[in-house]
Amino acid sequence: MKDGIEPEIGAERFAALLEAYGAEPARWPEAERAAARRFEAAHPQTAEPLLAEARALDRAIDRALQAHAASALSPAARAALHRDARTSAPPPPRSLAARLAGWRPTEWMGGDWRPAGALAAALFLGLLGGTAAPTLVPFAPAEAVAADPTVEALAEDAALYLYGPGAALETPAAPDQTEATR
Amino acid sequence: MPLDPKAPGAEAAAVEALARAAAAGDRAAFEPLVDRLAPGLHRFAARLLADPAEAEDVTQESFARLWKAIAAGPMSAPARPWLYRTARNLCVDRLRRRGRWLDEAAAPAETTADPAPSPEAATAAREASADLRKAIDALPERQRSALLLVHVEGLSGRETAAILDASEEAVESLLARARRSLRATLSAKESER
């Protein structure tokens, strides 16, 4: 075909088309179909006997192959094909409402969210404890501990136990007591 | 016969539109592809194998491969010839395993239903059909495939060429040889009577 115009065909080509494809124009090659129809119209004396012979063979083949209709797909096979088609098709898109109803944080965060969450929580608690420590954990200075009468009594008890009654714990006398003994 | 003489190529175009839709993710296109292609594909395989039950396995396997091909991305060839080519290859494998590559496949049970004007004519017509069916089954596989694809399934010479991995000229030659052989069978039987 050139410039969209089909070339004309002669008797020889017309006979060859029928020899291969039979009398039914729908089976003829698309590129030559119109030209073959033109030949048929222009040369009926040549075309008609060829068409009649080809048509007779077409019918004989059709009759011989009618057994195909008896060997159609069974209902079970047809159902299986449809089932496979449904399972092979992509899943239907979910509506926005369905997607929101089914939303889970794990979907958003991914599958390995637990270790990351634990680490973040530990970091947060650490920072919180660090900033609040001066008020929450009041360690006393050393002078205050030494002046504590409870601590002093415990030290005397320990010396008595370790060194006996003569080993008095030498502690500096209080200024007011020194003044009184004078 | 499934051929629609008023709309040559229309079926192929409809199938390709469905295949493109399926490849684009349109789930509504999958089952119509089965409806359009499975009966003819099974008929073709049943004729090649002379075994409708085995042809169902071939049909199912061919479609399973089609779904995989569609899921893998754009197909390299039109879906209809691709599917028939897959089915033919599966049939050829099975025939080879049977050792019946150039087989004289068993003819299915006779179901010719054409009314005949007289009992004698009916008997003659049935005998002629049975003889021709045997002659079709005895054709070399490529000639038989070409005849079934073009004459029965309504595929074009170009589609058949793609299925048989041949040129359109080669398909035309296969068809012509097949028809000449069948015509000779008919002529011989008529001369016997």
Side-chain angles (χ1 to χ4, degrees):
Chain A
M1 198 186 302
K2 189 179 179 183
D3 298 333
I5 301 169
E6 291 179 358
E8 295 304 316
I9 64 170
E12 193 178 346
R13 181 58 187 153
F14 185 79
L17 281 178
L18 270 57
E19 181 84 350
Y21 296 98
E24 179 52 65
R27 295 190 179 105
W28 300 345
E30 194 175 356
E32 295 177 282
R33 195 176 298 142
R37 300 299 292 265
R38 282 196 298 274
F39 178 87
E40 180 187 344
H43 306 280
Q45 296 88 350
T46 308
E48 283 304 327
L50 293 171
L51 282 166
E53 190 185 0
R55 201 172 288 125
L57 184 57
D58 286 347
R59 287 179 183 153
I61 294 171
D62 286 346
R63 278 196 299 271
L65 295 177
Q66 275 182 352
H68 284 315
S71 61
L73 271 171
S74 68
R78 190 180 291 269
L81 284 166
H82 277 270
R83 189 176 58 244
D84 289 351
R86 284 193 297 275
T87 55
S88 299
R94 298 164 69 199
S95 67
L96 181 62
R99 273 182 282 168
L100 288 174
W103 185 81
R104 296 285 181 277
T106 52
E107 289 177 14
W108 177 72
M109 297 174 77
D112 296 329
W113 64 277
R114 283 189 178 86
L119 188 64
L123 185 63
F124 174 75
L125 289 174
L127 286 171
L128 184 68
T131 53
T135 55
L136 290 174
V137 190
F139 283 109
E143 306 84 59
V145 173
D148 189 331
T150 308
V151 174
E152 193 175 342
L154 283 172
E156 282 182 8
D157 288 347
L160 187 64
Y161 175 76
L162 288 171
Y163 306 111
L169 189 65
E170 291 182 5
T171 52
D176 53 342
Q177 288 176 331
T178 309
E179 287 287 334
T181 52
R182 280 176 192 167
Chain B
M1 292 294 121
L3 185 68
D4 180 1
K6 290 186 286 297
E11 181 63 16
V15 166
E16 291 317 311
L18 283 170
R20 279 195 300 274
D26 181 359
R27 56 183 284 109
F30 281 70
E31 289 190 76
L33 275 171
V34 171
D35 291 332
R36 283 186 178 270
L37 292 171
L41 195 73
H42 174 260
R43 190 167 46 228
F44 172 65
R47 173 51 64 182
L48 277 185
L49 295 167
D51 185 339
E54 201 173 1
E56 288 186 349
D57 295 341
V58 166
T59 304
Q60 206 148 1
E61 175 65 22
S62 301
F63 270 96
R65 293 187 185 192
L66 176 67
W67 305 142
K68 278 184 189 168
I70 283 176
M75 293 182 68
S76 57
R80 188 162 74 149
W82 188 97
L83 193 65
Y84 273 93
R85 183 186 172 119
T86 302
R88 177 184 170 261
N89 288 342
L90 290 169
C91 289
V92 166
D93 288 346
R94 286 168 183 254
L95 289 171
R96 281 186 175 139
R97 280 202 297 274
R98 285 186 200 167
R100 285 171 57 186
W101 177 231
L102 297 172
D103 58 316
E104 286 78 40
E110 189 152 340
T111 56
T112 303
D114 279 1
S118 69
E120 293 79 16
T123 302
R126 274 198 300 274
E127 285 175 2
S129 285
D131 290 339
L132 195 61
R133 195 157 56 238
K134 285 177 187 166
I136 291 169
D137 289 340
L139 287 172
E141 185 276 330
R142 287 173 70 79
Q143 288 184 31
R144 190 158 32 126
S145 287
L147 183 76
L148 294 173
L149 290 167
V150 172
H151 190 95
V152 180
E153 303 307 328
L155 273 74
S156 68
R158 182 174 297 176
E159 287 177 305
T160 303
I163 293 164
L164 298 180
D165 200 16
S167 66
E168 285 187 63
E169 290 77 15
V171 167
E172 192 170 309
S173 173
L174 288 169
L175 288 169
R177 278 185 279 156
R179 288 176 67 93
R180 274 199 296 272
S181 174
L182 298 180
R183 187 181 293 116
T185 300
L186 283 178
S187 299
K189 294 295 174 185
E190 280 171 10
S191 63
E192 281 176 14
R193 291 182 187 116

